[in-house]
Structure formats: C-alpha cells, structure tokens
Amino acid sequence: MTTSTESAAPIRVRIAPSPTGDPHVGTAYIGLLNFIYARQRGGQFVLRIEDTDRARFVATSEQMIFDSLHWLGLEWDEGPDVGGPYGPYRQSERTEIYREHVEFLLASGHAYRSFETAEELDAMRKSQIAAKLPPRYNGAHRELPQVQIDAFLAEDRPYVIRLKVPVEGETIFRDELRGNVTFSHNNVDDQVLMKSDGFPTYHLANVVDDHLMRITDVIRAEEWISSTPKHVLLYRAFGWDIPRFWHMPLLRNLDKSKISKRKNPVSLIYYRESGFLPQALLNFLGLMGGGMAQPTEQEIVSKGMNVKEGDIFSLSDMLEKFDFRRISLGGPVFDLTKLKWLNGEYLRALSSEKFFDALRATIFSDDYLRRIAPLVQTRIETLAQFGDMTDFFFKDDVMPAPEVFIPKKHTLEETLAFAAEQLTVLEATVFAVEDLEPALKQLGVEKEWSVKDNFMLLRAILTGKIASPPLLESLMVFGKARSLDRMRRFLDTQKRQANSRH
Ligand code: GLU
C-alpha cells in the first residue's frame, strides 16, 4: 500500500491509553487495529501511558491496562514495562521534555501565557453562552505587552500556556480514511498546552511524544479528529513531519449513540471476568469497521458456509486479510447479543478438555474459590450448602422479585430511584469496603433510607436474595466491573418493565 506521504521510515504505531479507570473496550479495539497494522508491515507497536491528567488518575489502572492487553494477546514491542529506545513511555516521567518544548513555542511566538483566573474564565464562558456563542478563550492575553507579562510573573500569578491559533484561515490535513479534512480556525480554540500545575495537556504531550517516538501512523478513534488541527498546527510550529492519521469509526450502542457504560459493559475486566474468551472478543472487535472482507457468494456456496460463519476469524486470519482500506465509516454497532453468539461459537469449538480449562481459569479458578470460601465457612452446615449460598457468584444474571427488593416502607419508584443513587455512589467511590460503607451510609442519611433498607436493597440487586454472605466483602470478590454491570442491568430491566406497564 502506498500513499503520497509514505516515507521509507519503518512503520511505528502506538496506543496511548490514559489510566483513568478500568481499561475500556475501545482501547482493545484501537489496540487490535494498531497491532494488526504494525504486524502486517513488519513495524513496531508501542504502548504509551498518557497519565498527565492527575485529577483523573487511578493508580491501579495502568496494571489493569497491561493485564487486559496481555489477556487479549496484543503484545507491544515498546512500553513502560518492557522499555525500548524512545522511553520513558509514561508521560508523567517526561515532564521535563514537555517543558523544554513549550519553552520553544513561547520563544518562537507559537504559544503564549494566559493569566486569567478560573473565575474569569468561567465568567467568559457564561457570557458567551448567554450570547449564544460557542464558548472559547477570547484571546485577551494573546498579545500582552512584555512588561505586563513580567509583572504578572514577578507576582507569581499562576498561568497556563496556550497555542496561538491563527485568527484567519483554516487547517487542512489528510485523514487516510476520509481524504482531506478542513477545520476553519474560527472553530479552533487557543488550546491550553501546559496547565498551571506544570503538567502538559494531552495535545502537547501527544504530539511531542508521537514525534520523539518516531510514530509514523496515528491510528486512533474518531473522537480525536477535532483535536487533530491543533496537533497539525503544533507539528508545523515545531517544524516536524506530520504522521499519517487514521481516525477509526467510533463503537456505538445499539441506538447509535457513542458506546457508553449505561448501555453496554465497556470494561475489559467485565468481559474477562464474565467468561468471554479473548479470541472471541478480538474476533468481534475485528468485525467492527468492516476491515475484513466478507466471504464471496462463491465461497459461501462452495464451502457450504452460512453467512454468519464468515464472521468468524482468528487473529492470524486478521493479520493475513484485514485491509485498512476497506474500513467503512458508518458507526459500527457494539451488539452484545452478537458478541455472545460469537463467544458461544468459540466455546462450542473448544475440545472438552479446553472447555474445562477455560472454566477453571475463570469462574471456577482456585483463586476465585479461595476468596469466596471464607465468606461462607461459618454460615453453612454441609458443604453442599456452599452452592446455595454462593450461586450469585457464578451466575451471569440474578433478577430479584419485587417482594425481595422493595422494602416495606418504600414504593417501587422510590426504590428504583434510590438504587440509581446507589449505583452512582458505587461508580464514584474507591471500590473498597472501608470506602463504600460510609459512602453508602451517607447516601442513606441524605435520602432518609434506613441502613437496613439501604443494604437490603443492594443485597437483593447483587445476590437476588434477602440473605447472603457479608455483602460488601462479597462485592469485593465479585469485583467492581461485574457488580456495576449487575446494578445497571437491574435498573434497565426494571425501567423497561415499568415502561411496558404504562
Ligand atoms: N490518551 C488518549 C486516549 O486516552 C490518546 C488518544 C490518541 O491516540 O491520540 O485515548
């Protein structure tokens, strides 16, 4: 494959996830595409951790990203754990590099300091919204006289550093899937490049790193396309070559909105813990975007395939046949029913020995059973009762009956509203007993729910029953990803039932 911008440089691609929570299914999708692209071209696949957003940083997230990518078999050639010639591969270890680069932009007049306070920026935004204008920085400090800048600096006023986007004209760049994409500078804000805490924003760090890490092809999700003109301006300001850009169509919910946890499980941990096979998930993600040719009419007839069989292919099939030029831009739908069907096909294709191994590696692993056992040891009289007491740990779904989950003092509506609040608390709180317990109790106080009703409801949703082993300890073993999914499914089902009653 040749393109006009193609150079002889060895192909280098990267994924650049931010460790802000559970690894996302979108990271696996983009990871798979980058992996295929690199392997098909004898290139290198780099993993870079973009951890400059300290407010959203989650300490356990990086390891979960590594584990999930290993689980999927998307091995990287360079990264924070394996090293490589262009490290460090963790942005928080590169702050000095960004500082030097932003200094260069300041000196060359491509960036400027902006000293407004948060309140001033807020007032600016509000008045623009009131005037029905798109909220953006108004450029007030673009041309501050040097004496003023020096005075502000002398009094230690905090500032950010912004990109000086040309006032007129437009930025045009080539997207390999779309052709030329044009953004008028009217619609490009003077992006903050360096925050007042001295950390770079995504835009600065991403461009500097892609250049220094010799990335030839930026293959990422479509949601970044509106950032790309800013990146192109930065490449030009530095005088650097611009990589090829491939913006992949976003994964979508069934209703075509951008994939979201409210409508689909998005945590890779969920898929692993729920017993999806990595090869099935990769196959499913490989279907998104249409890079795999569908079997021809002739193949279908001559191989006696049914059309769905054409949907089943391995990672090595993808390495052989996946064609980036075939990718279509219509939003691929993440259809969980289809993923389950595929997973079922993969399960059926396993030998009975391998199927047994799969069970033992996941929902009947020693590790999992070892964590469940102490929760029930003091509560049973025969070992067989272990099954009765712990069934919810091994089920895909439990759906409590109304008499189990609606407390006597509350109505169905109140109960569902409170359960939605519990979900929000579980989403927002560190998933540890000592954090969840006070957070849930606090919610109960605010909404005037007794501790008993509060925890009974949560118990009913998560276990399907009125009695269970210690609830929060059970949640710890069941895990955050599956617990939250269970709550969302409960709320979803109840909402649908309520709608069909009306
Ligand atoms: N850190 C960004 C993310 O979380 C990377 C986007 C990109 O690939 O440029 O997805």
Side-chain angles (χ1 to χ4, degrees):
M1 183 185 55
T2 51
T3 66
S4 54
T5 52
E6 193 147 19
S7 62
I11 294 295
R12 293 177 55 81
V13 297
R14 83 317 187 258
I15 51 170
S18 298
T20 53
D22 276 19
H24 197 276
V25 72
T27 298
Y29 165 59
I30 297 297
L32 171 65
L33 294 171
N34 276 279
F35 179 84
I36 295 174
Y37 193 89
R39 292 289 171 270
Q40 284 182 336
R41 292 160 183 79
Q44 300 295 106
F45 173 46
V46 177
L47 171 61
R48 180 171 75 227
I49 296 292
E50 299 207 328
D51 57 348
T52 57
D53 186 346
R54 300 319 277 178
R56 296 180 59 219
F57 178 76
V58 175
T60 51
S61 184
E62 179 183 288
Q63 191 59 46
M64 290 196 285
I65 293 171
F66 295 167
D67 293 346
S68 302
L69 292 172
H70 283 314
W71 173 66
L72 288 166
L74 300 177
E75 301 303 331
W76 51 98
D77 305 302
E78 297 167 27
D81 54 339
V82 294
Y86 302 101
Y89 293 91
R90 212 179 263 117
Q91 288 187 329
S92 58
E93 294 165 17
R94 300 172 63 82
T95 44
E96 208 37 60
I97 299 175
Y98 309 127
R99 223 183 305 274
E100 287 163 16
H101 281 84
V102 90
E103 285 301 331
F104 170 85
L105 294 176
L106 280 174
S108 62
H110 291 99
Y112 61 95
R113 294 185 180 83
S114 145
F115 293 87
E116 287 89 353
T117 61
E119 294 73 40
E120 284 168 330
L121 292 174
D122 200 42
M124 188 187 303
R125 208 174 51 87
K126 284 192 179 130
S127 71
Q128 287 165 335
I129 291 173
K132 300 224 171 351
L133 293 167
R136 56 185 297 181
Y137 180 64
N138 66 7
H141 287 189
R142 272 174 78 107
E143 308 290 348
L144 279 188
Q146 192 58 41
V147 283
Q148 180 68 80
I149 297 174
D150 292 341
F152 282 156
L153 291 176
E155 66 189 53
D156 267 343
R157 239 195 230 225
Y159 60 86
V160 300
I161 298 176
R162 290 181 186 272
L163 177 65
K164 201 182 240 177
V165 176
V167 180
E168 286 175 355
E170 53 197 23
T171 290
I172 304 176
F173 62 90
R174 181 176 161 73
D175 178 279
E176 299 299 321
L177 298 176
R178 294 168 181 75
N180 282 349
V181 180
T182 304
F183 279 86
S184 158
H185 292 151
N186 283 329
N187 300 323
V188 185
D189 206 354
D190 278 2
Q191 179 62 50
V192 174
L193 301 174
M194 177 88 63
K195 294 171 273 186
S196 55
D197 62 3
F199 271 91
T201 58
Y202 154 71
H203 306 277
L204 176 69
N206 189 271
V207 165
V208 167
D209 287 351
D210 281 348
H211 173 74
L212 295 179
M213 295 180 182
R214 307 254 202 289
I215 299 302
T216 54
D217 293 81
V218 170
I219 304 170
R220 63 182 166 202
E222 196 174 24
E223 62 190 313
W224 303 103
I225 206 163
S226 59
S227 299
T228 307
K230 298 169 190 173
H231 299 180
V232 167
L233 288 169
L234 281 170
Y235 282 104
R236 289 193 190 136
F238 286 119
W240 292 340
D241 285 346
I242 296 172
R244 279 180 293 268
F245 291 109
W246 305 75
H247 289 95
M248 295 297 153
L250 277 188
L251 301 180
R252 299 192 175 271
N253 298 313
L254 278 177
D255 63 8
K256 291 274 177 179
S257 55
K258 175 182 161 185
I259 193 167
S260 63
K261 64 185 179 195
R262 295 276 164 219
K263 308 219 166 113
N264 266 304
V266 293
S267 163
L268 290 173
I269 309 293
Y270 168 82
Y271 290 99
R272 194 181 67 199
E273 292 183 346
S274 302
F276 286 82
L277 298 179
Q279 55 276 37
L281 183 57
L282 284 182
N283 182 160
F284 178 71
L285 294 171
L287 281 168
M288 305 283 107
M292 285 296 276
Q294 286 305 301
T296 60
E297 202 59 42
Q298 202 190 354
E299 275 175 315
I300 292 172
V301 176
S302 70
K303 293 191 186 153
M305 292 166 116
N306 71 40
V307 183
K308 276 192 162 175
E309 271 176 62
D311 284 348
I312 299 181
F313 40 78
S314 65
L315 184 54
S316 56
D317 293 334
M318 288 188 255
L319 293 180
E320 200 186 313
K321 300 205 189 106
F322 193 98
D323 180 358
F324 280 78
R325 297 285 166 199
R326 273 186 54 91
I327 288 173
S328 79
L329 296 175
V333 171
F334 192 97
D335 178 357
L336 198 53
T337 310
K338 174 135 188 187
L339 172 54
K340 283 192 183 154
W341 167 80
L342 254 181
N343 202 56
E345 292 289 314
Y346 275 86
L347 287 178
R348 278 187 283 284
L350 294 175
S351 66
S352 46
E353 198 52 35
K354 284 264 180 309
F355 177 70
F356 178 77
D357 291 346
L359 283 170
R360 293 285 284 139
T362 54
I363 72 161
F364 288 111
S365 70
D366 283 352
D367 181 50
Y368 192 43
L369 294 176
R370 194 166 275 129
R371 296 178 65 207
I372 295 171
L375 300 175
V376 295
Q377 189 176 0
T378 56
R379 292 178 164 75
I380 54 179
E381 292 168 327
T382 69
L383 292 175
Q385 288 171 358
F386 179 83
D388 300 307
M389 189 143 267
T390 61
D391 59 346
F392 64 92
F393 281 112
F394 304 99
K395 288 180 157 178
D396 181 45
D397 208 358
V398 296
M399 201 47 74
E403 55 277 17
V404 173
F405 76 82
I406 307 175
K408 291 207 172 47
K409 277 182 273 165
H410 296 281
T411 65
L412 172 66
E413 284 68 31
E414 284 165 10
T415 306
L416 296 182
F418 190 74
E421 301 275 359
Q422 288 179 321
L423 171 60
T424 309
V425 167
L426 261 73
E427 283 170 343
T429 310
V430 176
F431 207 72
V433 174
E434 60 276 21
D435 294 278
L436 285 179
E437 188 164 324
L440 284 164
K441 284 187 173 155
Q442 173 64 27
L443 173 70
V445 171
E446 279 165 27
K447 304 283 167 191
E448 299 183 11
W449 268 59
S450 71
V451 175
K452 180 164 155 276
D453 287 347
N454 187 348
F455 283 82
M456 282 298 273
L457 172 59
L458 192 60
R459 184 188 316 281
I461 298 171
L462 285 148
T463 71
K465 300 186 208 189
I466 49 174
S468 76
L471 180 60
L472 293 180
E473 282 77 1
S474 298
L475 282 194
M476 294 306 113
V477 176
F478 193 53
K480 179 172 184 172
R482 282 190 297 165
S483 299
L484 295 187
D485 173 70
R486 197 164 269 185
M487 294 193 75
R488 291 182 191 122
R489 266 204 256 179
F490 167 82
L491 286 164
D492 217 46
T493 308
Q494 298 301 329
K495 246 181 256 158
R496 258 185 289 118
Q497 288 178 357
N499 287 342
S500 67
R501 277 193 297 269
H502 288 148

